[in-house]
Amino acid sequence: MTIHLIERAKKFQERTAILTPKGSFSYSDLFQQSEQVAKNLLHSSPDLKEKRVAFLLPSDFSHVKVQWGIWRAGGIAVPLCTSHPVPELEYIVQNSGASTIVTNNDFIEIIKPIAERTRTQIMLESSFCTQINSPELPLLSSKRRAMILYTSGTTGRPKGVTSTHKNIQSQIETLVKAWKWKQDDCILQILPLHHVHGIINILNCALWSGATCEMLLNFNSKVVWQHFVQSNLTLFMAVPTIYSKLISTWEESPPEQQQFWSKACSKMRLMVSGSAALPVQTLEKWKRISGHFLLERYGMTEIGMALSNPLEGKRVPGYVGSPLPGVKVRLVNENGHVVEPGIPGEIQVKGPNVFSEYWQRPKETEKSFQQGWFKTGDVAILENGIYKILGRNSVDIIKSGGYKVSALEIEGILQTHRDIKECAVIGIPDPEWGESVAVALVLKTKTVFQWDTFRKWAKSQLAPYKVPVHHIQMKILPRNAMGKVNKAKLANNF
Ligand code: MCA
Ligand code: AMP
């Protein structure tokens, strides 16, 4: 079988697939150049046979063609994040057992030592030959593993969520159907490309549909407003923090500018929010500014999207709607029994969208399912046929800026610092970031401690969104009778 997503590109030929500040690329360009990438990766072998290929590239055409090239060669794509420090990148390269890292000259100095230590081959994207003789590209079953995305869990270091081509296709198809994607759509991509929101909901839904994905290297509030004005966008999707930042920029601007920007939003047909709870206040402010009632949906790396407010019909603030086509959702209590409407329960999900496994963690994979249903760890309630997310069943998972971070992972890293005796990390409510990372530190005796220096060190170890922004020093951490840190009590100290 061929990869349906990629075969479809043949239908769209000279239509614009990717638009970047550097130029525009058609579906033919993407099809041909991803074939070259695949042939370079294959060299003389007929099939990468699920070899992991990590890639560290900017959010532009090179990223897209390499992602497709890895798939076409039969490999598993492992996207790396450009803002991650070396230890985070190295963990992913090591854990996924990548055989190759594809990168460019901007990142080569970061990648070289990682590649040396992990004995991984580096390939420069710019050095891929255009004329390479190699056998036909392999035919792939839809059960073939396609991608590993790293996500924080309640235990230890991030886990590799492994999805097959079938999973990816169904995650795309359900959204294309529900939100009526079409060829004439054009979407702005400003999210990181190592998570489902950017990869599936934005980039590959656009490519499946023959639409245009306009890519910016990163998020900048003013630049996004300018693109609302100058580009022919029909769709916009982002996390609540981004809407909050766009609102702040709009509020700080002179009235003529505000009017101009607000008017530009009227040409769009849909604006979506997700990855974290959308505060009703943000929804209302955005409606006043843009005229758009944000469509809120719920998803997770392991399942893609599961619940969505309707494209047409009533969207209820604070609710995430109903199951997407082909996705089964149920709510279950602590005893594993399905609950009645009106009673809170854990969201469990079943369907072709659900991932295949945590990479090389069979026990954790098994534990995360109940009779074939994936246990999300999110608690919701069903009221009047629609779902409302109430929170998570673990205090150790924090959502900040749309990123999921694990308190335990951060604690594990911070505790390696020479001044720290022990520490406890929690998320505290933040109007802009949803939650922000806070840490209670117990220092070793006779330590002259400087928070700024400590933070600088933490930034060298952890992704920017995992670095604590608030701290307190304590003589002793509050613990319960079992010796476990009482995080609910700790939160009162910030
Ligand atoms: C960055 N900073 C933060 C945080 N992140 N401070 C507090 N909390 C944070 N979470 C600080 C940096 O340290 C820096 O400070 C300053 O903010 C600017 O950093 P920068 O990285 O440039 O920030 P930004 O570009 O403004 O980032 C904000 C952002 C980003 C665009 C909202 O967080 C983002 O792209 N979020 C989306 C993540 C996402 O796509 N999640 C989807 C996963 P200093 O200057 O002092 O160093 S969830 C998913 O995929 C599921 C399936 C789903 O449902 O969608
Ligand atoms: P991730 O593991 O990064 O894919 O993040 C998935 C998590 O984001 C889910 O388990 C939820 O906790 C959270 N999430 C996603 N969408 C929403 C939403 N609309 N409302 C509340 N939480 C959400």
Side-chain angles (χ1 to χ4, degrees):
M1 214 192 100
T2 47
I3 304 162
H4 206 36
L5 166 69
I6 293 170
E7 279 304 299
R8 288 173 61 88
K10 287 186 192 157
K11 293 207 304 195
F12 307 119
Q13 298 282 344
E14 293 318 309
R15 293 187 65 83
T16 304
I18 302 292
L19 198 56
T20 74
K22 284 191 188 155
S24 117
F25 303 86
S26 67
Y27 278 86
S28 297
D29 294 332
L30 180 55
F31 194 77
Q32 281 160 18
Q33 293 195 37
S34 61
E35 182 170 329
Q36 296 306 334
V37 172
K39 288 185 171 174
N40 277 271
L41 290 171
L42 284 166
H43 203 53
S44 51
S45 103
D47 185 341
L48 286 187
K49 293 197 174 149
E50 297 192 344
K51 273 192 182 159
R52 275 75 63 212
V53 180
F55 57 118
L56 183 63
L57 290 166
S59 285
D60 63 13
F61 182 66
S62 67
H63 189 107
V64 186
K65 75 174 185 186
V66 168
Q67 180 190 64
W68 276 31
I70 297 167
W71 286 342
R72 297 182 75 182
I76 300 182
V78 186
L80 299 172
C81 174
T82 51
S83 71
H84 278 184
V86 167
E88 296 246 12
L89 297 171
E90 187 160 339
Y91 169 75
I92 293 175
V93 172
Q94 183 91 56
N95 186 272
S96 63
S99 56
T100 304
I101 309 174
V102 181
T103 191
N104 71 11
N105 282 322
D106 293 339
F107 300 109
I108 187 81
E109 293 310 321
I110 298 172
I111 288 300
K112 260 189 201 159
I114 298 176
E116 263 166 38
R117 287 192 290 268
T118 55
R119 301 217 173 92
T120 313
Q121 161 191 222
I122 300 179
M123 288 180 97
L124 273 180
E125 177 265 321
S126 57
S127 72
F128 285 151
C129 319
T130 48
Q131 301 297 328
I132 181 162
N133 289 324
S134 81
E136 286 302 296
L137 297 181
L139 289 176
L140 307 171
S141 140
S142 63
K143 290 187 186 143
R144 172 79 65 116
R145 293 175 184 86
M147 186 157 70
I148 305 181
L149 300 179
Y150 279 79
T151 188
S152 294
T154 43
T155 50
R157 303 296 311 263
K159 295 175 282 193
V161 176
T162 311
S163 306
T164 62
H165 285 288
K166 187 175 172 197
N167 297 147
I168 291 174
Q169 182 171 326
S170 56
Q171 291 177 8
I172 295 171
E173 278 182 308
T174 189
L175 293 183
V176 168
K177 190 168 177 194
W179 299 343
K180 296 198 174 153
W181 273 87
K182 48 188 180 330
Q183 281 192 25
D184 297 329
D185 277 321
C186 178
I187 191 163
L188 190 65
Q189 151 53 30
I190 34 89
L191 292 179
L193 283 177
H194 65 298
H195 280 301
V196 163
H197 199 158
I199 302 171
I200 303 290
N201 298 24
I202 298 176
L203 177 63
N204 282 298
C205 274
L207 297 177
W208 177 278
S209 310
T212 299
C213 183
E214 186 166 353
M215 302 178 81
L216 300 179
L217 290 180
N218 46 36
F219 169 72
N220 173 300
S221 193
K222 274 206 171 130
V223 175
V224 168
W225 273 118
Q226 282 156 11
H227 275 267
F228 284 177
V229 174
Q230 77 194 40
S231 304
N232 291 319
L233 301 172
T234 60
L235 298 166
F236 185 70
M237 298 178 195
V239 300
T241 302
I242 287 185
Y243 286 106
S244 161
K245 283 175 181 270
L246 290 170
I247 290 170
S248 301
T249 307
W250 187 93
E251 283 174 342
E252 287 155 14
S253 300
E256 320 79 72
Q257 182 75 80
Q258 291 181 342
Q259 270 184 10
F260 195 50
W261 282 349
S262 293
K263 198 166 162 249
C265 296
S266 62
K267 64 187 173 204
M268 282 191 237
R269 72 172 181 89
L270 174 66
M271 292 182 138
V272 178
S273 172
S275 301
L278 174 66
V280 172
Q281 208 198 2
T282 310
L283 177 133
E284 280 166 358
K285 271 193 180 175
W286 188 254
K287 188 161 176 283
R288 277 202 298 278
I289 289 175
S290 72
H292 283 269
F293 192 114
L294 288 171
L295 182 155
E296 187 174 6
R297 55 58 179 179
Y298 160 86
M300 197 173 177
T301 307
E302 287 87 337
I303 58 173
M305 298 304 112
L307 299 163
S308 171
N309 271 288
L311 178 69
E312 290 140 8
K314 196 161 177 247
R315 298 175 196 163
V316 184
Y319 287 75
V320 289
S322 49
L324 281 156
V327 182
K328 287 190 190 144
V329 174
R330 67 180 193 180
L331 300 182
V332 170
N333 66 18
E334 290 93 3
N335 304 324
H337 298 129
V338 175
V339 298
E340 293 293 320
I343 310 283
E346 183 194 44
I347 305 176
Q348 297 195 346
V349 179
K350 201 179 198 176
N353 53 309
V354 177
F355 76 126
S356 68
E357 82 240 67
Y358 291 118
W359 181 249
Q360 293 185 334
R361 297 204 198 197
K363 280 200 188 119
E364 284 181 55
T365 306
E366 203 189 316
K367 265 180 23 199
S368 66
F369 284 87
Q370 180 188 329
Q371 295 140 355
W373 292 80
F374 174 68
K375 305 193 280 186
T376 62
D378 290 307
V379 178
I381 189 165
L382 181 63
E383 289 174 336
N384 304 319
I386 52 173
Y387 289 82
K388 184 184 178 72
I389 311 287
L390 299 176
R392 286 194 62 86
N393 59 15
S394 165
V395 286
D396 288 321
I397 293 291
I398 301 164
K399 262 273 159 170
S400 189
Y403 284 110
K404 182 170 166 187
V405 301
S406 154
L408 301 183
E409 183 199 356
I410 301 172
E411 287 163 9
I413 301 289
L414 298 185
Q415 263 152 10
T416 65
H417 190 276
R418 61 187 150 87
D419 293 342
I420 306 301
K421 189 171 166 204
E422 55 176 351
C423 67
V425 168
I426 56 168
I428 54 173
D430 184 298
E432 186 175 27
W433 298 99
E435 285 182 294
S436 55
V437 178
V439 63
L441 298 165
V442 178
L443 302 176
K444 287 181 183 161
T445 45
K446 292 191 193 133
T447 300
V448 183
F449 180 76
Q450 281 188 314
W451 170 243
D452 289 348
T453 319
F454 178 73
R455 249 193 125 231
K456 212 167 154 195
W457 169 81
K459 274 188 184 173
S460 71
Q461 305 296 310
L462 293 161
Y465 45 87
K466 296 180 187 171
V467 177
V469 281
H470 307 283
H471 79 292
I472 48 166
Q473 289 181 23
M474 299 184 98
K475 289 215 167 77
I476 184 170
L477 295 176
R479 292 185 187 273
N480 63 20
M482 312 287 288
K484 224 175 153 235
V485 175
N486 185 336
K487 292 202 170 177
K489 199 167 168 193
L490 198 58
N492 300 329
N493 293 283
F494 286 91

